[in-house]
Amino acid sequence: NVKKLSKGQAKPALAPQETSTALRFRADGFTTLRKKFAMSAEQMGKLIGVSAQSVYHWEAGKSRPRASQLPAISAARQLTKKQAWEKIS
């Protein structure tokens, strides 16, 4: 029963808007974003809400972010370097 499955699941604070295009992830694009922000993997992980190990694995192509993590990555793309650093400070 769908109602039972969705019951009790917390909704994210910033729910992504429903759009016709799915969020995509590219390892090299993510690496470029991290370098643009001049952040370590640990700092980038803190910004997105994941571990530094996850960041390393994504960049190396060993794994991909979960669908639930894509909105946070997408939101990070919209930030300026200053805004990104303010969020982790």
Side-chain angles (χ1 to χ4, degrees), residues 24-61 63-65 69-70 72-77:
R24 296 175 295 166
F25 177 81
R26 284 184 33 233
D28 57 342
F30 184 74
T31 304
T32 301
L33 179 66
R34 183 172 68 82
K35 289 181 180 178
K36 176 183 134 184
F37 289 159
M39 291 185 170
S40 68
E42 183 177 353
Q43 292 163 327
M44 191 66 172
K46 184 177 179 183
L47 177 67
I48 297 171
V50 299
S51 69
Q53 195 67 35
S54 292
V55 172
Y56 284 127
H57 282 234
W58 297 345
E59 290 181 356
S63 66
R64 297 182 58 81
Q69 296 162 330
L70 292 176
I73 295 169
S74 179
R77 286 189 195 121

